[in-house]
């Protein structure tokens, strides 16, 4: 039993280590380092990603072509570090990884900042909508139990008071949501 457990743990660890490699043996052998760098730059990968590729390939006795990779990465970053992509990255809540060269960073960050406003706005809307659903569900639950024959008059009075409080919360949340919806997140 112990040996089987150790074997299972070893297989899991080995699988995790293999899964951490950025490139397979075949990919290392056939790598076009410029294209690989371009792809990583186009995706906004940090400079350190080269070392992960190099480490994966050294296991297969393949030497990474650093100059080709970084030339390709620099060219790929020209596509990544744009206003539109910055906006998209910010809008979807991505983190800024400080990968853009100084001559492209301001443009990217301008888009990223606007996109981040939209992201935060959307999160507020979703949170308020979720709050409304929770309040509605709680009101329905309390209204249902209000008509139970097992309740005393005092318990019914408490439930009615709780429902009135929830109605006020519901009204306030609807007002907040409507006010938020009137705001342009890009202003």
């Amino acid at each position: 039993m112990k040996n089987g457990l150790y074997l299972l743990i070893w297989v899991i660890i080995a699988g995790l280590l293999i899964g951490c490699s950025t490139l397979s043996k075949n990919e290392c052998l056939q790598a076009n380092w410029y294209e690989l760098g371009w792809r990583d730059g186009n995706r906004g990968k940090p400079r350190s990603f080269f070392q992960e590729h190099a480490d994966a390939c050294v296991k297969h006795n393949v030497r990474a072509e650093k100059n080709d990779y970084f030339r390709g990465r620099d060219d790929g970053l020209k596509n990544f570090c744009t206003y539109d992509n910055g906006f998209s990255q910010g809008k979807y809540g991505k983190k800024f990884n400080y990968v853009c060269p100084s001559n492209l960073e301001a443009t990217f960050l301008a888009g990223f900042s606007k996109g981040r406003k939209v992201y935060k706005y959307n999160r507020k809307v979703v949170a308020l909508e979720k709050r409304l659903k929770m309040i509605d569900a709680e009101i329905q639950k309390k209204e249902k139990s209000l008509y139970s024959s097992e309740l005393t008059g005092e318990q019914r009075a408490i439930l009615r008071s709780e429902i009135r409080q929830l109605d006020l919360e519901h009204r306030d949340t609807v007002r907040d949501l409507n006010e938020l919806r009137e705001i342009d997140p890009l202003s």
Side-chain angles (χ1 to χ4, degrees), residues 40-41 44-53 66-67 69-71 73-74 77 97-100:
D40 288 349
K45 299 290 184 187
R47 287 182 63 85
S48 61
F49 218 64
F50 168 77
Q51 194 57 51
E52 292 181 36
H53 293 319
K66 187 175 189 173
N67 292 336
Y69 176 86
F70 284 113
R71 209 170 25 85
R73 182 178 175 274
D74 289 345
L77 284 173
N97 292 327
Y98 301 93
V99 297
C100 295

